[in-house]
Amino acid sequence: PPPPQTGNDGVRRRHIALRFHYDGSAFGSGFAQNVGRPDDDSVERALFEALIKTRLVADRASAGYSRAGRTDRGVSAWGQVV
């Protein structure tokens, strides 16, 4: 893997993969975030809130994130990688 990079703020950063699980019955919007919708109840929104809260990412825009798929409402995942 490439070595960590140091940002302008002196913090070392690197790309990682996270494997996580979720119960889709708890999310009304499925996986894909409905950006800009105040009623968004998606897995992706909850995921990014957690990543930002734990400081694993600064924000979605700078995370280099892109999705390759989506799921319907109520679908669960075991071992999904982001």
Side-chain angles (χ1 to χ4, degrees), residues 20 26-53 60 65 67:
F20 71 109
F27 298 94
S29 299
F31 182 82
Q33 184 173 10
N34 300 300
V35 178
R37 293 197 49 187
D39 61 342
D40 179 42
D41 183 22
S42 65
V43 174
E44 201 169 45
R45 180 199 47 76
L47 172 65
F48 268 93
E49 284 179 357
L51 293 173
I52 292 166
K53 182 177 181 178
R60 183 181 173 129
Y65 173 83
R67 93 174 72 86

Side-chain angles (χ1 to χ4, degrees), residues 13-81:
R13 293 182 175 83
R14 63 182 170 166
H15 292 279
I16 61 169
L18 296 174
R19 185 171 60 177
F20 71 109
H21 320 284
Y22 60 89
D23 176 1
S25 66
F27 298 94
S29 299
F31 182 82
Q33 184 173 10
N34 300 300
V35 178
R37 293 197 49 187
D39 61 342
D40 179 42
D41 183 22
S42 65
V43 174
E44 201 169 45
R45 180 199 47 76
L47 172 65
F48 268 93
E49 284 179 357
L51 293 173
I52 292 166
K53 182 177 181 178
T54 57
R55 298 180 183 213
L56 290 173
V57 299
D59 56 46
R60 183 181 173 129
S62 67
Y65 173 83
S66 65
R67 93 174 72 86
R70 54 178 298 245
T71 60
D72 294 328
R73 179 181 13 202
V75 175
S76 300
W78 185 262
Q80 185 161 348
V81 177

